[in-house]
Amino acid sequence: MGQLLDGKLLAQKRAGKLKEKVKDLKKRGLNPLFCVINIGDDPSSQLYLKTKKKRAAEVGIEQQVYQLAQNETQNNLLTLIDRLNQDEKVCGIMIQLPVPDQINLNEALEHISPSKDVDCLTPSNVGRLWRGDHFVEPATAHGILALLDYYQIDLRGQNVVIIGRSSIVGKPLAALMLERDATVSILHTKTKHLDEYTRKADILVSAAGQAGLITADMVKDDAVVIDVGINRQNGKTIGDVDFAGVLPKAKYITPVPGGIGPLTVESLMEQVVALTRRKNGR
Amino acid sequence: MGQLLDGKLLAQKRAGKLKEKVKDLKKRGLNPLFCVINIGDDPSSQLYLKTKKKRAAEVGIEQQVYQLAQNETQNNLLTLIDRLNQDEKVCGIMIQLPVPDQINLNEALEHISPSKDVDCLTPSNVGRLWRGDHFVEPATAHGILALLDYYQIDLRGQNVVIIGRSSIVGKPLAALMLERDATVSILHTKTKHLDEYTRKADILVSAAGQAGLITADMVKDDAVVIDVGINRQNGKTIGDVDFAGVLPKAKYITPVPGGIGPLTVESLMEQVVALTRRKNGR
């Protein structure tokens, strides 16, 4: 029977430590100010923003939301980013996804100052990630590594299979796991025969966003299964993994909810604090 | 019996076209000037510099070598890069590898203006590569894709296995192949049981720099085998692949020499021309 990788618990533990760090920063007059730009009225974005705000408040980080209209122009968005880049008080900036169609997201991301790029999505921070001289890490990937470390699961020489090649999860996670000496395969919607890869994975990470994608027959005995999927089904939140089926087979498995989700939010706050410290040379 | 992927022939064809482009640029008063910084006296670097200079001359590109002493300081290197960045006439800059121990290569690379970064090694160009909005591509990866395209070998849904995770070959090639919808696995020195991966590869790329690494039993029937290795053995240049053994099994295979090597040099010149055009808005 698989052991649960308790992301919620670890997130709480790390939040406790982070709170102390923030206290310490504030004593020195440094106030981590985190700005989120939200464009339009996507309902799940609203939910994420609320969760982030709550977590931020718990560790003592001030989160400001800049709410733009659904039909906001690219120009106005860039002007706002410029303003936040120049504002000495702002430590971290992120753009809440998804954005409306008229927004050129890549251009907007390039506009964020790398020194305030909480999500590690600006070109130079992505490049530093792949070169191994990074200081900011994408929240989900950072959270996954923290969880593996906490349970002392070594990556060196392990066969890691990642499903999903997004800029926010799959690709940066591949970079960080390669750096830890894992052998990494990146699978995606165009991959034929997913199971031929997954069945050999020592560590399987699913970030496909597809409920029930990973069934027991696709998982190796004693594998570590990390479920990054967040899918709504019949009013419930479930992952990509058929949890009940895979649990008996896996050595370790993350639940959904309570696995990677809470760690992602917590890791985001850690990045805000890291940027604040760096900005002030500590 | 495998068909040869003739990199030398393709390099010649592409050089012919590139020469026309350069002529056209020169008619408009644009002169592609390519600057290479060489530090110290590594003998293989001297050889590469000579080859590059010859190829550059053939297509009409002017290559200037800035030769620095083996004990040159980091500061002097950065000053030289600054000067070349600011020089309007310079279209492309590269640092010849390897560099002596006292040089901080990452810092030096970060110093090159992304708009003159022929090797695609600056953080922001690496980041753009992974985000899919690139205009400059690392020469070897660019050459490999050109060769596959020339022989109409489709990457979509193919199982690609890359041995080597360097910043100049393995990682950027993974990015470009993922973009082409291949499933990509990145192997390296810490990978256990290389053959378990290689034996399933539709397209196998070896960039390990280890003579005789890939033997026939490690290759799937009808695989495409790309040998990026350049190893000296008994005065001869050989690749990573046991060519004689693998040839009968593979569908396509690159020879060494005459495979990826000439395409790398040719691709480098293409990047110089691309940067020259871009700099001048064409």
Side-chain angles (χ1 to χ4, degrees):
Chain A
M1 182 66 70
Q3 184 183 341
L4 284 194
L5 296 172
D6 192 339
K8 199 175 167 185
L9 177 77
L10 180 59
Q12 281 165 356
K13 285 197 176 192
R14 291 178 75 98
K17 284 188 194 157
L18 195 62
K19 201 174 167 176
E20 293 306 309
K21 276 193 197 163
V22 171
K23 242 186 224 162
D24 192 52
L25 285 171
K26 285 186 175 173
K27 266 189 212 149
R28 295 159 203 266
L30 308 175
N31 188 38
L33 175 58
F34 175 35
C35 296
V36 185
I37 301 172
N38 190 50
I39 313 164
D41 43 18
D42 184 84
S44 51
S45 289
Q46 294 299 341
L47 190 69
Y48 289 135
L49 287 172
K50 238 179 91 182
T51 309
K52 269 180 215 152
K53 183 146 200 156
K54 194 167 152 246
R55 290 275 169 271
E58 280 168 10
V59 295
I61 292 173
E62 184 185 349
Q63 176 183 300
Q64 282 177 3
V65 176
Y66 291 78
Q67 178 64 52
L68 304 184
Q70 180 74 27
N71 62 355
E72 193 60 81
T73 64
Q74 179 79 5
N75 237 350
N76 283 350
L77 172 60
L78 298 183
T79 305
L80 171 60
I81 294 172
D82 277 338
R83 185 153 65 80
L84 298 177
N85 281 342
Q86 280 152 28
D87 187 336
E88 277 293 319
K89 292 191 298 297
V90 175
C91 305
I93 305 169
M94 73 169 284
I95 300 171
Q96 181 68 45
L97 304 183
V99 295
D101 289 344
Q102 80 276 11
I103 298 297
N104 179 338
L105 182 62
N106 265 356
E107 189 195 31
L109 290 173
E110 288 210 20
H111 226 71
I112 295 175
S113 163
S115 64
K116 301 188 178 187
D117 170 28
V118 173
D119 268 337
C120 191
L121 283 173
T122 57
S124 59
N125 281 341
V126 173
R128 286 195 188 97
L129 199 72
W130 281 97
R131 285 174 22 163
D133 59 347
H134 39 91
F135 67 94
V136 62
E137 295 178 351
T140 303
H142 182 89
I144 291 171
L145 288 193
L147 191 62
L148 294 173
D149 285 345
Y150 181 70
Y151 286 92
Q152 298 183 304
I153 299 165
D154 195 13
L155 282 157
R156 192 179 158 102
Q158 296 297 289
N159 181 14
V160 170
V161 170
I162 299 171
I163 308 178
R165 55 175 162 175
S166 74
S167 297
I168 55 169
V169 183
K171 287 175 180 173
L173 184 61
L176 293 179
M177 286 184 152
L178 259 183
E179 193 179 299
R180 298 281 199 96
D181 289 335
T183 302
V184 177
S185 299
I186 308 172
L187 281 48
H188 46 78
T189 47
K190 301 297 186 301
T191 298
K192 296 170 189 163
H193 315 298
L194 276 186
D195 60 331
E196 286 186 8
Y197 302 86
T198 60
R199 252 192 257 127
K200 305 233 163 187
D202 299 314
I203 300 174
L204 174 60
V205 182
S206 184
Q210 200 180 322
L213 178 69
I214 305 298
T215 48
D217 60 305
M218 295 169 73
V219 176
K220 191 169 100 162
D221 282 334
D222 289 328
V224 177
V225 180
I226 308 285
D227 191 348
V228 186
I230 298 181
N231 313 291
R232 298 289 296 171
Q233 204 173 61
N234 305 326
K236 275 178 65 182
T237 299
I238 59 171
D240 292 349
V241 176
D242 168 20
F243 184 80
V246 172
L247 179 64
K249 222 174 164 184
K251 183 167 183 189
Y252 292 102
I253 185 169
T254 60
V256 176
I260 300 306
L263 273 173
T264 295
V265 182
E266 157 60 19
S267 295
L268 193 65
M269 300 308 151
E270 290 181 23
Q271 307 310 307
V272 175
V273 171
L275 291 176
T276 307
R277 291 163 68 111
R278 190 177 166 104
K279 179 169 158 268
N280 295 283
R282 0 191 113 247
Chain B
M1 183 64 73
Q3 185 184 339
L4 282 194
L5 296 172
D6 191 338
K8 197 174 170 186
L9 177 76
L10 179 59
Q12 281 165 358
K13 285 196 176 193
R14 291 179 76 98
K17 284 188 193 157
L18 195 63
K19 199 174 169 175
E20 292 307 309
K21 275 193 198 162
V22 171
K23 241 186 222 162
D24 192 52
L25 284 171
K26 285 186 175 173
K27 266 188 211 150
R28 296 159 203 264
L30 307 175
N31 188 39
L33 175 58
F34 176 34
C35 297
V36 185
I37 301 171
N38 190 50
I39 312 164
D41 42 18
D42 183 85
S44 51
S45 289
Q46 295 298 342
L47 191 69
Y48 288 135
L49 286 172
K50 238 178 93 180
T51 310
K52 270 182 215 151
K53 183 147 203 157
K54 192 165 155 247
R55 290 276 169 271
E58 279 168 12
V59 294
I61 291 173
E62 185 187 347
Q63 177 184 299
Q64 282 177 3
V65 176
Y66 291 79
Q67 178 64 51
L68 303 184
Q70 180 72 27
N71 61 355
E72 192 60 82
T73 64
Q74 179 78 2
N75 237 352
N76 283 350
L77 172 60
L78 298 183
T79 305
L80 171 60
I81 294 172
D82 277 338
R83 184 153 67 80
L84 298 177
N85 281 342
Q86 280 152 27
D87 187 336
E88 278 294 317
K89 294 192 297 296
V90 175
C91 304
I93 304 170
M94 73 169 283
I95 300 172
Q96 181 68 45
L97 304 184
V99 294
D101 289 343
Q102 80 277 13
I103 298 296
N104 179 338
L105 182 62
N106 264 356
E107 188 196 32
L109 290 172
E110 287 209 23
H111 226 72
I112 294 176
S113 164
S115 64
K116 299 186 179 186
D117 169 29
V118 174
D119 268 336
C120 192
L121 283 173
T122 57
S124 60
N125 281 340
V126 173
R128 286 197 188 95
L129 198 73
W130 281 98
R131 287 175 22 162
D133 58 345
H134 40 92
F135 67 94
V136 61
E137 295 177 352
T140 303
H142 183 89
I144 290 172
L145 288 193
L147 191 62
L148 293 173
D149 285 345
Y150 181 70
Y151 285 92
Q152 298 183 305
I153 298 166
D154 195 12
L155 281 158
R156 193 180 157 99
Q158 297 296 290
N159 181 14
V160 170
V161 170
I162 300 171
I163 307 177
R165 55 175 161 174
S166 74
S167 297
I168 55 169
V169 183
K171 287 176 179 175
L173 184 61
L176 293 178
M177 287 185 152
L178 259 184
E179 192 178 301
R180 298 281 199 97
D181 289 335
T183 302
V184 177
S185 300
I186 309 171
L187 281 48
H188 46 80
T189 46
K190 301 296 187 301
T191 299
K192 296 170 190 166
H193 314 299
L194 275 187
D195 60 331
E196 287 186 9
Y197 302 86
T198 60
R199 253 192 255 127
K200 306 232 161 187
D202 299 315
I203 300 174
L204 174 60
V205 182
S206 185
Q210 199 179 323
L213 178 69
I214 306 297
T215 48
D217 59 306
M218 295 170 73
V219 176
K220 191 169 100 163
D221 281 335
D222 289 328
V224 177
V225 180
I226 308 285
D227 192 348
V228 186
I230 298 179
N231 312 293
R232 299 289 297 171
Q233 203 172 63
N234 306 326
K236 276 178 65 183
T237 298
I238 60 171
D240 292 348
V241 177
D242 167 22
F243 185 79
V246 172
L247 180 63
K249 223 176 164 185
K251 183 166 182 190
Y252 292 102
I253 185 168
T254 60
V256 176
I260 300 305
L263 272 173
T264 295
V265 182
E266 157 59 18
S267 294
L268 193 66
M269 300 308 151
E270 290 182 23
Q271 306 310 307
V272 175
V273 171
L275 290 176
T276 308
R277 291 163 68 110
R278 190 177 166 106
K279 178 167 159 269
N280 295 282
R282 0 190 112 251

